[in-house]
Amino acid sequence: SPARTALAPRETPARRKGKARRGRGKARNEGLLSKQKRSRRMKANDRERNRMHHLNSALDALRSVLPTFPDDAKLTKIETLRFAHNYIWALTQSLRLA
């Protein structure tokens, strides 16, 4: 159509000569790409698992220094953070008054 040629002229075979072809050799590399994706995913999963282990360890350490009633009650992650925030605020206020 005339509007199409004014916006973007169609490619001729002469124009395509310099461009790399896509799609060829894809079947040969699919297995390699799949292995690379699986390897990357496994590494990412390991990093996330380690991150969560470290976070949980840090929260356990924080729980151990917070006064809780009763002593056997385990606070959730968000409860631990909120309680720690409030506890630090209360300690700060008591130091200001002293």
Side-chain angles (χ1 to χ4, degrees), residues 50-66:
N50 287 332
R51 186 186 74 82
M52 288 306 299
H53 283 304
H54 291 296
L55 177 63
N56 289 333
S57 297
L59 285 166
D60 286 337
L62 181 58
R63 281 186 197 104
S64 71
V65 298
L66 293 174

Side-chain angles (χ1 to χ4, degrees), residues 3 6-7 14 16 20 32 51 63 76:
L7 294 176
R16 277 189 228 143
L32 180 62
R51 186 186 74 82
R63 281 186 197 104
T76 64

Side-chain angles (χ1 to χ4, degrees), residues 12-38:
T12 61
R15 284 187 168 194
R16 277 189 228 143
K17 275 186 180 180
K19 291 190 176 184
R21 290 185 175 187
R22 297 186 185 263
R24 296 245 176 188
K26 187 176 182 181
R28 285 182 285 184
N29 293 331
E30 277 183 13
L32 180 62
L33 289 174
S34 177
K35 284 182 184 179
Q36 287 175 343
K37 285 181 181 178
R38 263 185 273 138

